[in-house]
C-alpha cells in the first residue's frame, strides 16, 4: 500500500495540470468568497446574513475545480492508456483506488484548507466595512468561535468529499466528458432542483437529496432550525453520495477488463 | 522468483461474438527469446493482457513464475512488460513517467537514470513524453519494462516504429537479456523482425497455437538439406546433377538450388563433370519460409487471415 501511495502521489505531482488546478481551487474559493464579502452589506441589527457562510461561499465555485482534478486524475489514465501501465504495476485494483483516494484527499485537503483560511481572513477584513460590525451583531470572524470553526473545517471536508465523489464517478465512467456531466448534474442540477418544484414536501425531499444543498449546511452558523437538515447530517448526505460513487467505481473496476 | 517461465494454459476469451482466445496454450522458457507470431487479431495482445491480469479469461490459466500475475506484490520486479508504447501521459516527462513506476515497486531514483541510459534516452529524460516519436516511446516503454530488472519480459511489437539502428539495438538487447537467463516473449506480426533473434517460435492464429517449435530445427527443416551452388554455367551444372539423380533448380543467373546430395557430393559431381564452381554452400532458409512451412497445412489459419 505504501508503494501504491507513493506512486499515485508521484503520478499526480508530476502532472503540470495538478498544480494549476490546485491553485485554481484556492483562487476561486477565495475570489468568490471575497467578492461576496465585498458586495453584501448589512445596515441594521439582524440583517439576517450568516457571515461565516457568506465568507465561505467560494466553496461552491471551488468544488467544480476539485471535482475536475479528481475526474481527470483517473480518466486521464484511461484516455492515454496509462491505466494499463498502472494496473500492471499495481494489479490490485482496490489498492489503486484507495491510493488515489488518499492522495486526492490530501491534496484537496491542503488546497481546501488554504482556500478556506484565506476566505475567512479576507472576509474578516472586508465585512466590517460593509456594516458587519459588532454593533449590528457581527463580531469579527474568528475560528475561535465554535460554529465558525465547524463551518471552516467542514468546508474543507466538503471539498474532500466532492473530490472523492468525482474519483468514484471517474472510476466508474472512465471517460472525462461523461464524468463531468454526471458530477455536474449531481452537484449543480440537483442543487437547483428544489426550486423547480412547487410542492413543499418535494422541495424538502429534493433539497435533502442534493449533496450540495445538504452538504453546505455544514457552513450554516445561524438560524439552524430553518434548514431541513443539521450541519453534520447534511454533510452526511454528501458522504453517502461519495460512498455510493466509490463503491460503484470499485465494483466496476473489479468486474471489467482492464 | 525460482522459475522464470510464463505458462499459458487453455485460455479462452470472447469479446461479444468474437472469439479472441480459443484454447491458447504454450510455455515460455528462461534463457531464450520466444517469438510470438501471427497475423493481427490472432490473439497475441489479448494473451499478453490476460497474462498481466489486465483482462480476465473466460477459462484457462496464465502463470508467471508459477503464480498468477495479480498475486505478485511487486510485479515489475518479476515481469517487465511493454504493451503499448503510446501509453504515456503526454505532459509528463520521460523521467517522471519512470519515476512513478519505480515508486510503485519501491525502486529508487538511481535505477530510473540507469534504464534511461540503457535505452539511450538519457539526453531527453526531462522532455515531455508527448513530444516523443514512436521510436522514442518504444525505448521509453522498454526502459519501463527493464525498470525492475525482471527475470521475465513480455514485449508486444517492440520493433514497431524503430529506425534501422534501433532495430539492431533491440535485437542485441533481446539476445543479451535471454543470455542472462531471462525468459523473453516478443510478439510480432512480421517474421523478418524475429530473424536472428528468436530461439523459439510460438505461431498463433485465430486465438490458438498453430505451431510451437525451435527456430534452429525449424530452419533446418525448411532448408531440407538443400545446397546452393554458384557457378558461371548453371545449366551445365544442372544437367550434370540431374544425371546423378539430384533435384536441381536454377534460381538466378549464376545460382542453383540442389536437393538430395550433400555439399561434398555436389562438389565431387561437378568437379568430375568439369563444371566451374565458384561456391557451394548450405541453403539458409529464412524465417518466413519456415513460417510458411509451419502454417502451410493450417487451413483454418489461412481462413483466419482472409477473415481479417
Amino acid at each position: 500500500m505504501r508503494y501504491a501511495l507513493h506512486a499515485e502521489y508521484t503520478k499526480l505531482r508530476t502532472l503540470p495540470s495538478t498544480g494549476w488546478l490546485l491553485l485554481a481551487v484556492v483562487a476561486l474559493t477565495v475570489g468568490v468568497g471575497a467578492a461576496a464579502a465585498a458586495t453584501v452589506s448589512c445596515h441594521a441589527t439582524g440583517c439576517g446574513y450568516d457571515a461565516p457562510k457568506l465568507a465561505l461561499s467560494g466553496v461552491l465555485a471551488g468544488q467544480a475545480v476539485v471535482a475536475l482534478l479528481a475526474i481527470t486524475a483517473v480518466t486521464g489514465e484511461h484516455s492515454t492508456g496509462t491505466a494499463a501501465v498502472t494496473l500492471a504495476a499495481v494489479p490490485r485494483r482496490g489498492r489503486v483506488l484507495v491510493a488515489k483516494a488518499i492522495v486526492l484527499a490530501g491534496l484537496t485537503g491542503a488546497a481546501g484548507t488554504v482556500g478556506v483560511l484565506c476566505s475567512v481572513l479576507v472576509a474578516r477584513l472586508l465585512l466590517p466595512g460593509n456594516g458587519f460590525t459588532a454593533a449590528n451583531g457581527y463580531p469579527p470572524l474568528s475560528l475561535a468561535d465554535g460554529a465558525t470553526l465547524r463551518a471552516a473545517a467542514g468546508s474543507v471536508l466538503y471539498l474532500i468529499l466532492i473530490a472523492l465523489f468525482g474519483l468514484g464517478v471517474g472510476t466508474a465512467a472512465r471517460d472525462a466528458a461523461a464524468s463531468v456531466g454526471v458530477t455536474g448534474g449531481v452537484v449543480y442540477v440537483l442543487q437547483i432542483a428544489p426550486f423547480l418544484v412547487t410542492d413543499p414536501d418535494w422541495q424538502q425531499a429534493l433539497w435533502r437529496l442534493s449533496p450540495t444543498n445538504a452538504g453546505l449546511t455544514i457552513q450554516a452558523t445561524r438560524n439552524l432550525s430553518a434548514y431541513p437538515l443539521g450541519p453534520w447530517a447534511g454533510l452526511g448526505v454528501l458522504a453517502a453520495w461519495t460512498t455510493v460513487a466509490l463503491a460503484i467505481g470499485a465494483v466496476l473496476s473489479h468486474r471489467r477488463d482492464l | 522468483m525460482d522459475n522464470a517461465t510464463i505458462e499459458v494454459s487453455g485460455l479462452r476469451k470472447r469479446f461479444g461474438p468474437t472469439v479472441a482466445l480459443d484454447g491458447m496454450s504454450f510455455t515460455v522458457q528462461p534463457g531464450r527469446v520466444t517469438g510470438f507470431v501471427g497475423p493481427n487479431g490472432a490473439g497475441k495482445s489479448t494473451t499478453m493482457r490476460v497474462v498481466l491480469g489486465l483482462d480476465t479469461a473466460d477459462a484457462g490459466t496464465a502463470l508467471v513464475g508459477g503464480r498468477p500475475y495479480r498475486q505478485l506484490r511487486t510485479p515489475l520486479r518479476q515481469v517487465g512488460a511493454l504493451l503499448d508504447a503510446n501509453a504515456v501521459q503526454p505532459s509528463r516527462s520521460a523521467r517522471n513517467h519512470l519515476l512513478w513506476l519505480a515508486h510503485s515497486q519501491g525502486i529508487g531514483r538511481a535505477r530510473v537514470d540507469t534504464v534511461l541510459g540503457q535505452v539511450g534516452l538519457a539526453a531527453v529524460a526531462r522532455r515531455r513524453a508527448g513530444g516523443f516519436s514512436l521510436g522514442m516511446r518504444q525505448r521509453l516503454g522498454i526502459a519501463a519494462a527493464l525498470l525492475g530488472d525482471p527475470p521475465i519480459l513480455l514485449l508486444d511489437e517492440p520493433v514497431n516504429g524503430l529506425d534501422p539502428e534501433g532495430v539492431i539495438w533491440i535485437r542485441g538487447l533481446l539476445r543479451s537479456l535471454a543470455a542472462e537467463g531471462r525468459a523473453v516473449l516478443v510478439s510480432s506480426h512480421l517474421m523478418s523482425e524475429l530473424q536472428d533473434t528468436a530461439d523459439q517460435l510460438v505461431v498463433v492464429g485465430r486465438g490458438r497455437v498453430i505451431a510451437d517449435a525451435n527456430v534452429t530445427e525449424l530452419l533446418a527443416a525448411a532448408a531440407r538439406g538443400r545446397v546452393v551452388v554458384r557457378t558461371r554455367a548453371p545449366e551445365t551444372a544442372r544437367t550434370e546433377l540431374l544425371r546423378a539423380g539430384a533435384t536441381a533448380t536454377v534460381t538466378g543467373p549464376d545460382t542453383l538450388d540442389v536437393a538430395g546430395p550433400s555439399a561434398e557430393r555436389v562438389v565431387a559431381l561437378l568437379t568430375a563433370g568439369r563444371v566451374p564452381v565458384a561456391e557451394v554452400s548450405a541453403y539458409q532458409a529464412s524465417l518466413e519460409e519456415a513460417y510458411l512451412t509451419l502454417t502451410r497445412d493450417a487451413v483454418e489459419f489461412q481462413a483466419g487471415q482472409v477473415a481479417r
Side-chain angles (χ1 to χ4, degrees):
Chain A
M1 191 65 221
R2 198 163 53 91
Y3 292 162
L5 258 179
H6 196 183
E8 289 302 329
Y9 175 66
T10 306
K11 210 190 277 179
L12 261 183
R13 180 176 65 79
T14 55
L15 268 189
S17 57
T18 305
W20 291 113
L21 287 172
L22 289 173
L23 203 63
V25 170
V26 175
L28 264 178
T29 305
V30 179
V32 171
T39 48
V40 174
S41 51
C42 183
H43 299 294
T45 312
C47 56
Y49 287 113
D50 187 338
K53 191 172 168 59
L54 193 68
L56 295 168
S57 52
V59 167
L60 194 62
Q63 67 175 358
V65 187
V66 163
L68 195 65
L69 170 72
I71 288 168
T72 52
V74 52
T75 58
E77 288 201 26
H78 286 283
S79 62
T80 58
T82 43
V85 184
T86 295
L87 288 184
V90 185
R92 303 210 178 154
R93 297 170 184 213
R95 190 168 289 192
V96 173
L97 185 60
V98 170
K100 274 197 160 64
I102 293 174
V103 170
L104 278 170
L107 291 178
T108 306
T113 303
V114 173
V116 162
L117 287 179
C118 291
S119 296
V120 172
L121 183 69
V122 167
R124 183 189 162 104
L125 298 173
L126 289 177
L127 285 178
N130 291 342
F132 288 85
T133 55
N136 282 343
Y138 291 96
L141 281 184
S142 163
L143 294 178
D145 170 52
T148 306
L149 180 63
R150 186 252 299 145
S155 293
V156 177
L157 284 179
Y158 175 90
L159 287 172
I160 291 174
L161 287 170
I162 288 287
L164 298 181
F165 178 73
L167 173 65
V169 172
T171 304
R174 293 180 172 183
D175 175 72
S179 305
V180 167
V182 169
T183 308
V186 169
V187 170
Y188 290 115
V189 178
L190 271 184
Q191 186 196 6
I192 56 167
F195 309 104
L196 302 178
V197 295
T198 46
D199 182 85
D201 289 344
W202 272 102
Q203 272 186 353
Q204 282 246 339
L206 283 173
W207 195 95
R208 285 191 175 119
L209 185 68
S210 155
T212 313
N213 291 329
L216 286 176
T217 47
I218 198 70
Q219 296 181 340
T221 62
R222 281 180 180 235
N223 222 355
L224 290 183
S225 57
Y227 291 89
L229 285 168
W232 291 105
L235 197 63
V237 170
L238 171 58
W241 276 95
T242 298
T243 307
V244 169
L246 283 174
I248 294 174
V251 168
L252 285 180
S253 73
H254 269 284
R255 291 235 179 120
R256 285 185 299 212
D257 279 343
L258 176 68
Chain B
M1 184 173 291
D2 36 295
N3 59 336
T5 57
I6 304 171
E7 294 156 89
V8 170
S9 168
L11 290 185
R12 292 181 185 280
K13 182 161 184 69
R14 286 176 160 275
F15 292 109
T18 316
V19 176
L21 299 178
D22 187 13
M24 180 75 74
S25 300
F26 61 89
T27 301
V28 180
Q29 300 288 352
R32 28 174 133 149
V33 176
T34 301
F36 194 29
V37 280
N40 292 325
K44 303 187 297 290
S45 296
T46 306
T47 302
M48 289 186 161
R49 292 175 64 85
V50 170
V51 170
L52 296 174
L54 298 174
D55 289 2
T56 311
D58 301 333
T61 56
L63 302 177
V64 284
R67 294 169 69 192
Y69 189 90
R70 287 190 193 186
Q71 283 182 11
L72 302 176
R73 233 182 280 160
T74 48
L76 302 191
R77 291 171 180 269
Q78 274 122 51
V79 185
L82 164 64
L83 284 192
D84 174 9
N86 288 316
V88 288
Q89 170 68 246
S91 57
R92 197 180 278 126
S93 73
R95 189 163 182 276
N96 283 334
H97 175 71
L98 295 177
L99 191 61
W100 75 256
L101 268 177
H103 287 163
S104 75
Q105 314 293 305
I107 296 170
R109 221 169 255 268
R111 178 67 189 161
V112 168
D113 293 325
T114 306
V115 291
L116 277 168
Q118 202 176 343
V119 301
L121 289 180
V124 294
R126 286 171 198 279
R127 271 174 43 189
R128 294 166 63 252
F132 281 14
S133 66
L134 178 55
M136 289 161 88
R137 288 178 192 209
Q138 290 282 20
R139 286 173 185 263
L140 180 57
I142 289 161
L146 296 175
L147 195 59
D149 195 15
I152 299 173
L153 285 135
L154 221 103
L155 309 171
D156 197 3
E157 306 264 357
V159 184
N160 222 351
L162 291 179
D163 53 19
E165 186 218 351
V167 174
I168 292 167
W169 167 75
I170 194 157
R171 282 183 177 164
L173 177 71
L174 295 174
R175 299 271 3 124
S176 70
L177 290 169
E180 288 162 10
R182 298 176 215 256
V184 184
L185 180 67
V186 185
S187 81
S188 175
H189 63 281
L190 295 174
M191 288 301 289
S192 56
E193 286 181 353
L194 296 167
Q195 182 103 40
D196 306 326
T197 308
D199 305 297
Q200 184 81 13
L201 270 194
V202 174
V203 182
V204 293
R206 285 195 139 189
R208 64 169 73 157
V209 174
I210 288 168
D212 186 345
N214 179 283
V215 169
T216 315
E217 289 166 19
L218 215 57
L219 291 177
R224 298 196 307 275
R226 278 173 288 173
V227 171
V228 180
V229 175
R230 191 176 291 277
T231 168
R232 275 191 282 116
E235 284 304 332
T236 322
R238 182 166 171 271
T239 317
E240 203 65 40
L241 289 164
L242 288 178
R243 192 183 301 156
T247 313
T249 321
V250 176
T251 51
D254 63 346
T255 55
L256 62 163
D257 272 13
V258 186
S262 68
E264 287 88 351
R265 176 95 180 107
V266 168
V267 173
L269 284 170
L270 294 178
T271 312
R274 295 180 179 280
V275 182
V277 178
E279 186 190 341
V280 175
S281 57
Y283 179 84
Q284 296 291 319
S286 71
L287 217 46
E288 256 117 0
E289 270 177 279
Y291 177 74
L292 289 175
T293 313
L294 270 179
T295 56
R296 193 161 38 205
D297 304 321
V299 177
E300 191 190 19
F301 173 67
Q302 282 161 9
Q305 274 183 312
V306 172
R308 284 293 298 178

